[in-house]
Amino acid sequence: MKLVVALLLLCRCLAAQGTASVAGTVIDSETKQPMAGVHVAIYVSPMGGDEQPVYGAVSKPDGHFSVTGLSPATYFVNARHTGYVFAPSKILSVPLKAGDNKTDLVVAMTQRAVISGRVTDEFGDPVQEVRVEGELVEPARRVITIGPMSAQTDDRGEFRLSGAPGKFLICAQTWKPNRGPSVYGPTWYPASESKEHATAIVATAGREITGIEIRLVAHRSISLSGLVTGLPADPQPAFVSIWSATSGPHRGSAETGKDGQFTMTDLTEGNYQIQAFYGDSLRSAVVDVQLAGGDRSGVQLALVPGEELYGTVEPADSSKLTVFLEGPMGNAVAAVSPEGKFRFDAVFPGKYSVVIRPMPENAYIKSVKLDNTEITDGDVDFSHGAGSSKLKIALSPNGATVTGSIEPADAALAFVILERSAGDTRSYNSGPVLPGAKFSLSGIAPGKYRPFAVDVSTMGGGPDALKPLFEKGEPIEIHEGDRVMKNAKLLAQP
Amino acid sequence: MRSFWLSLSFSALAWAQAGVQGTVVDSVTGQPIPRAHVSLIGEKRYGALTTVQGSFSIGPLAPGDYTASADRVGYVEGRNPSTFTLQADQKKTDVTVKLVPTGAIIGRVLDSEGEPVEGAQVVAEGGGSAITDDKGRFRIGGLQPARYRVQAKSGVVSGTAREIRTDGSEEVYDALTYFPGRVAVGPGVEVNGIDIRLVRAPIVSVSGRVVGMAPGTERASVTARAPSRETREVRIKKDGTFKFWKLDPGKYFIFVRADGMGSDDIGSAAVPVEIAGSNIEGIELRLAHSADLPGHLEFDDDKAKQSPQMLIRLSDSATIAAQEAAVDANGAFVLKNVAPGVYHVGVTAPGVYVKSLRYGSTIVDGSMLNLSYGAAGGDLSILLSSAVASISGTVKDDHPTGRRVALVPTDGSSTRFGAVKPDGSYSFEGLAPGSYKLVAMPDLPPGAPAGYEDVMEPVEIHAGGKITRDLKLSVAPF
């Protein structure tokens, strides 16, 4: 009886202080033996937590660590020790209420796995400054805080990948133009351009796999030349940019002479898109170019001026808004005056979506009109120029709010996504999960939605990776100004 | 594609017009270098790979001036180019390109308790960098011959607040640490044993307040900048305060950077702080908008009046903000979007210097313009004088080529570099009077003149003065 009273008093005492404590053991994930001298960090926000307290502890010879006096919050755990990585399959988080005394936290450390080797060219000579990366095959997913297995080759062509164990496909990719006769594409170990023919390497904890030699696949270098027309009198050089039509990365650029002639080298066979720029004022259309069979000349790019575009945002708002026209060739930006007016200096032909940042509290874009014609499919079409058009953007301050919890509540780093038109990854609302597995999204336009949550700590890929999930949320209909309570299911990526 | 390039070389054997043959050799061993890539630049660019015997041939070529250079992994890029003129039908066969082999620095990084540090970043300043492995080992390869300052920094994420600990342990913070002196790396030499023991530093914070915040400027951040160190930024909190944690000991400039959001640029002048063993509090950064600064030139003498077209240059060495404007025929200019700062005002014309400035009612002797509170209207009048000074002399040493002299102004304006002629002479013309530092260096060392402060000679220059100063090479060349 006395003990119970004492315990009650103790609890009350802790609750009164409003703090919590956490303790546990650090172990080696393979041997399960306790580990000493491991630095355990316990912090509130994994992103930009410079205003939040950070707690720390060092594990004792029996692996035990403890921190007391924590303010109530959901905490994340990280741990460091030379030769080890902290690579849990899921982010380790600890929700702590005032008075909580968690004593059984297990922090499992894994000995580093190392893959080392050399990258050579077609003659067997070392190649330096090649980016070598291990793409994880097994386990299928890993916590995003563990960096990728990646490194750059040194002057001897050598690389050393170090990280959590797993099964990897190794890819070597040059990023500096080669000065010799060859261009090297991304090459998978041992010497293949296709990932399907790559040989996987199993890196185990505490071991170093040496002698991984990657021979870069060489291609004959192709050049492309042509003419940029429409340069102003007494021109500066124009700028020509080329990128792969299929995979997207930027592949190269060149300046024209004053006569508009340009030459690009170090290209390989494939499909490309090419565009010319002259300062901020002139641009060409994007031209498709197929390179095959040898050097290519005579590509023509005609510069056209961007056109001014005026518009208004209603109702006028005293806070500073910016209108963005987001197009496939980048964004145009215009500041909105206190009277609600804006002007784009140069809008180039193309289709654009209209975005306002920052959005006024709980507002949404109610309608977009181009010369008094309402835009219904989301994109403003300036394919034939923006000349003397007027863009009217109407905001409603009356967005809906959706609040709820995520189910199950154990993902600490989830995002809740409200999907609007099916498959369109550009038009969704999203936000972080708040303490207690709650979420609250505001400024939502009327329409049909499917709320769901994903655990970003195990998320892979870009916005496209979410597409398969868009159909899985439970549909709800939202009207202007609604205050909706709706829980969001935590969905796993396929 | 291999055969394509070989056929290009073979066809060169049959040239009827002008052409070039030569060899690429190792500058240390004199041995030929196979599979080096040779660039020949004239009106057009030509390329070739050397054979197993290190030889190359390129042709047919149009007559004209050419520069041949070569590169190969393991050798310094673009060194020792060979320049020549080809006449019509000339077959030049004696071109030799010497490649200088690169060296390496090898060592270990230990923490302040002597334990190896994994993931530490080691930098040979101006040369390259490497990350230590789980035994604390590193190797920085591909270094051109030079004397390097080598720094190491633990890889733990910097900038987090001091940890709260209740288990009796103490958070240890190891600061960026330099290897003593410089590490001399000769051509093709691997220097071993460069072990760096990190120095423990007290965990301190640097905090203050940003004043003059207007609505809409919440996105601004505060920057802490120090030479040879990572520049750090923290967000301004809603109440206008800011706090940096774990800045290494040393001198810093703290400022709000104009954030490049178009016409709404805001910023502050830099406040210098020196971080030693304790917290620094109460720094006040005053925000102001960037603004256009119009002005005009005035002339101290008739000779200055005759100077040609020029640009006006503003540079703030603390925030590294810089601004340029052209002067029109009437001597007027407008410097656009000038952020708050303390600027050196320079002109690009030879033969004149900025003698004094008048801004509003303030008259300044010399060229430092204090715009700490921003450029708020008013006209900047720049008085130019033709009473420029010069300094010349001889560099005494046994190495006849590849030396440079650096002239470092103490007012924070840009350093000037001059080549030393084969007879050992050097000279700088068109100097503004003031305090300078001089140093003679082998070639142009990486990062120069940073790291040579200890061997610089001070020199005071008066208006119109002609100074002679002989120098000794500060460190041995390679």
Side-chain angles (χ1 to χ4, degrees):
Chain A
M1 187 61 199
K2 260 186 185 169
L3 183 67
V4 173
V5 171
L7 277 175
L8 278 173
L9 282 174
L10 183 65
C11 288
R12 206 178 275 169
C13 174
L14 280 173
Q17 284 178 348
T19 64
S21 72
V22 60
T25 312
V26 183
I27 59 165
D28 180 312
S29 65
E30 305 269 313
T31 64
K32 312 293 179 203
Q33 293 299 306
M35 281 181 67
V38 176
H39 173 208
V40 180
I42 294 172
Y43 50 94
V44 175
S45 167
M47 303 141 191
D50 53 352
E51 294 179 36
Q52 303 286 355
V54 177
Y55 299 88
V58 175
S59 66
K60 302 277 185 291
D62 62 356
H64 184 260
F65 69 90
S66 74
V67 180
T68 58
L70 295 106
S71 341
T74 295
Y75 287 92
F76 296 92
V77 180
N78 200 359
R80 283 177 60 93
H81 191 275
T82 293
Y84 282 78
V85 288
F86 179 59
S89 58
K90 206 169 145 182
I91 280 193
L92 188 54
S93 65
V94 190
L96 290 178
K97 296 192 296 291
D100 279 356
N101 291 300
K102 188 168 176 60
T103 56
D104 57 354
L105 192 66
V106 176
V107 174
M109 303 292 287
T110 307
Q111 265 193 289
R112 265 185 198 290
V114 177
I115 300 171
S116 64
R118 207 165 75 109
V119 176
T120 61
D121 63 14
E122 68 267 46
F123 307 108
D125 287 334
V127 187
Q128 62 181 337
E129 291 178 279
V130 179
R131 178 124 219 107
V132 183
E133 222 156 291
E135 187 181 301
L136 192 62
V137 183
E138 278 172 29
R141 260 173 224 143
R142 179 164 285 157
V143 169
I144 49 169
T145 51
I146 307 299
M149 291 276 256
S150 79
Q152 189 162 303
T153 58
D154 65 9
D155 56 314
R156 299 182 297 196
E158 293 176 1
F159 65 88
R160 190 169 190 275
L161 306 175
S162 145
K167 187 173 175 184
F168 296 91
L169 298 175
I170 314 290
C171 185
Q173 189 159 11
T174 57
W175 55 272
K176 265 188 140 179
N178 182 38
R179 288 196 204 74
S182 307
V183 173
Y184 303 109
T187 304
W188 297 85
Y189 172 76
S192 168
E193 273 194 293
S194 104
K195 200 158 131 184
E196 285 65 45
H197 296 122
T199 304
I201 294 170
V202 177
T204 47
R207 294 267 172 78
E208 175 166 350
I209 295 172
T210 57
I212 299 301
E213 186 143 332
I214 303 175
R215 183 167 281 226
L216 293 174
V217 178
H219 293 273
R220 179 185 157 186
S221 165
I222 293 178
S223 76
L224 179 152
S225 58
L227 181 67
V228 175
T229 59
L231 286 166
D234 188 25
Q236 302 297 309
F239 189 74
V240 181
S241 188
I242 191 165
W243 61 94
S244 164
T246 45
S247 51
H250 193 93
R251 271 307 299 270
S253 60
E255 272 193 358
T256 67
K258 290 204 168 184
D259 57 359
Q261 300 277 356
F262 68 93
T263 302
M264 299 177 136
T265 53
D266 295 330
L267 299 166
T268 58
E269 295 193 343
N271 294 324
Y272 293 90
Q273 293 188 310
I274 183 166
Q275 188 181 22
F277 302 85
Y278 185 84
D280 292 332
S281 58
L282 301 172
R283 253 180 225 188
S284 78
V286 177
V287 173
D288 290 311
V289 180
Q290 190 181 10
L291 290 182
D295 293 347
R296 171 78 175 269
S297 56
V299 175
Q300 293 241 5
L301 299 167
L303 292 172
V304 293
E307 290 174 307
E308 287 189 341
L309 174 68
Y310 290 86
T312 55
V313 176
E314 288 168 351
D317 189 291
S318 60
S319 62
K320 285 194 177 179
L321 305 181
T322 305
V323 184
F324 293 80
L325 288 179
E326 298 187 348
M329 293 305 120
N331 301 347
V333 181
V336 182
S337 75
E339 298 79 40
K341 293 181 178 166
F342 61 83
R343 184 180 72 96
F344 288 94
D345 293 335
V347 176
F348 295 92
K351 283 189 175 183
Y352 294 87
S353 56
V354 179
V355 177
I356 290 189
R357 288 193 202 103
M359 210 42 150
E361 179 102 28
N362 202 32
Y364 69 95
I365 296 180
K366 191 167 187 179
S367 77
V368 177
K369 285 181 183 166
L370 186 62
D371 293 334
N372 291 321
T373 309
E374 176 128 16
I375 308 294
T376 48
D377 65 349
D379 280 341
V380 190
D381 189 353
F382 294 128
S383 296
H384 304 290
S388 67
S389 301
K390 197 164 182 229
L391 196 64
K392 264 186 159 168
I393 304 170
L395 301 182
S396 164
N398 235 348
T401 304
V402 180
T403 53
S405 303
I406 61 165
E407 302 167 334
D410 68 341
L413 247 191
F415 257 72
V416 173
I417 296 177
L418 272 178
E419 176 264 341
R420 195 175 181 192
S421 52
D424 182 359
T425 49
R426 279 176 306 163
S427 82
Y428 58 73
N429 300 67
S430 65
V433 171
L434 309 170
K438 299 251 187 295
F439 70 88
S440 174
L441 301 173
S442 58
I444 303 193
K448 287 182 178 164
Y449 292 88
R450 296 167 187 267
F452 67 91
V454 282
D455 185 342
V456 292
S457 70
T458 59
M459 198 175 103
D464 283 353
L466 293 176
K467 271 187 182 172
L469 302 182
F470 279 176
E471 313 237 317
K472 295 191 179 170
E474 282 175 38
I476 52 170
E477 177 133 16
I478 292 175
H479 304 99
E480 173 108 9
D482 277 357
R483 298 281 178 274
V484 181
M485 295 278 288
K486 181 80 185 172
N487 291 345
K489 277 215 175 90
L490 186 69
L491 299 180
Q493 277 186 273
Chain B
M1 74 303 307
R2 189 174 173 183
S3 61
F4 163 75
W5 275 77
L6 289 177
S7 70
L8 194 146
S9 303
F10 287 138
S11 72
L13 296 173
W15 10 274
Q17 293 158 282
V20 169
Q21 285 184 347
T23 351
V24 178
V25 297
D26 183 306
S27 69
V28 175
T29 65
Q31 293 293 309
I33 302 172
R35 288 193 301 279
H37 175 247
V38 181
S39 293
L40 185 64
I41 301 175
E43 288 252 310
K44 289 183 172 175
R45 272 187 94 106
Y46 302 86
L49 282 189
T50 56
T51 63
V52 178
Q53 288 78 36
S55 64
F56 66 91
S57 80
I58 301 174
L61 296 169
D65 295 332
Y66 288 93
T67 301
S69 61
D71 48 80
R72 171 86 161 94
V73 65
Y75 292 90
V76 180
E77 281 183 31
R79 275 288 188 88
N80 304 332
S82 168
T83 304
F84 50 85
T85 305
L86 276 185
Q87 311 297 333
D89 297 337
Q90 185 190 356
K91 291 158 186 67
K92 190 171 173 58
T93 57
D94 57 352
V95 176
T96 303
V97 181
K98 284 184 181 170
L99 282 181
V100 179
T102 57
I105 296 174
I106 296 165
R108 286 199 309 156
V109 177
L110 306 171
D111 68 16
S112 51
E113 278 155 7
E115 294 295 316
V117 181
E118 181 181 23
Q121 161 114 347
V122 191
V123 179
E125 287 180 1
S129 67
I131 305 283
T132 56
D133 68 11
D134 52 349
K135 306 280 193 299
R137 296 172 301 198
F138 70 90
R139 177 183 180 280
I140 307 172
L143 294 173
Q144 63 165 298
R147 288 169 181 260
Y148 291 95
R149 288 207 304 173
V150 182
Q151 53 157 269
K153 178 103 176 85
S154 121
V156 179
V157 180
S158 51
T160 50
R162 183 207 299 272
E163 279 183 11
I164 300 163
R165 294 197 182 181
T166 56
D167 65 349
S169 66
E170 189 195 343
E171 185 180 7
V172 173
Y173 179 70
D174 288 341
L176 181 147
T177 305
Y178 277 94
F179 188 78
R182 298 187 188 86
V183 178
V185 179
V189 175
E190 303 220 319
V191 183
N192 281 284
I194 304 304
D195 292 354
I196 302 172
R197 184 157 174 165
L198 298 179
V199 176
R200 186 182 295 197
I203 297 175
V204 296
S205 67
V206 174
S207 60
R209 172 179 295 279
V210 173
V211 297
M213 293 253 289
T217 56
E218 295 83 2
R219 264 177 305 188
S221 57
V222 179
T223 299
R225 199 179 73 78
S228 304
R229 285 192 179 161
E230 180 196 12
T231 295
R232 286 252 294 270
E233 286 190 18
V234 290
R235 290 180 80 87
I236 302 170
K237 293 176 195 168
K238 286 210 172 78
D239 61 359
T241 62
F242 66 89
K243 188 181 256 185
F244 289 95
W245 277 104
K246 293 175 186 160
L247 286 172
D248 289 338
K251 288 179 178 166
Y252 290 79
F253 291 109
I254 313 283
F255 56 92
V256 176
R257 194 190 288 272
D259 75 342
M261 291 294 287
S263 57
D264 296 330
D265 284 352
I266 49 153
S268 78
V271 173
V273 299
E274 179 150 11
I275 296 165
S278 51
N279 294 344
I280 295 176
E281 290 163 3
I283 296 170
E284 191 172 284
L285 300 175
R286 184 164 294 275
L287 285 187
H289 282 269
S290 297
D292 292 352
L293 176 61
H296 68 277
L297 296 181
E298 288 178 10
F299 303 97
D300 198 39
D301 53 87
D302 287 343
K303 203 176 157 206
K305 224 176 258 180
Q306 287 149 25
S307 41
Q309 279 285 322
M310 66 183 86
L311 297 175
I312 306 293
R313 249 182 213 151
L314 293 190
S315 54
D316 181 331
S317 59
T319 63
I320 41 179
Q323 208 63 240
E324 238 175 45
V327 180
D328 71 14
N330 303 320
F333 58 84
V334 181
L335 288 148
K336 292 277 184 193
N337 222 11
V338 177
V342 178
Y343 289 95
H344 173 264
V345 181
V347 290
T348 55
V352 286
Y353 74 93
V354 175
K355 186 180 182 186
S356 68
L357 304 168
R358 196 177 68 238
Y359 180 59
S361 58
T362 313
I363 297 173
V364 186
D365 272 341
S367 55
M368 297 309 292
L369 176 63
N370 190 334
L371 296 177
S372 291
Y373 298 131
D379 185 87
L380 173 65
S381 157
I382 301 177
L383 182 66
L384 296 183
S385 162
S386 68
V388 291
S390 68
I391 185 163
S392 60
T394 308
V395 178
K396 295 188 164 69
D397 75 283
D398 304 330
H399 298 274
T401 58
R403 294 154 302 170
R404 302 288 179 105
V405 177
L407 181 68
V408 187
T410 53
D411 64 6
S413 57
S414 16
T415 297
R416 285 173 65 172
F417 294 99
V420 179
K421 292 188 187 134
D423 65 359
S425 66
Y426 77 92
S427 69
F428 292 100
E429 313 279 339
L431 302 174
S435 304
Y436 292 84
K437 287 178 173 176
L438 263 177
V439 63
M441 300 173 295
D443 206 314
L444 189 58
Y452 286 78
E453 291 84 357
D454 52 337
V455 285
M456 288 178 182
E457 285 188 36
V459 50
E460 199 66 34
I461 300 180
H462 300 287
K466 302 219 175 318
I467 292 177
T468 308
R469 181 72 64 94
D470 292 343
L471 301 170
K472 278 186 89 168
L473 208 56
S474 62
V475 287
F478 283 105

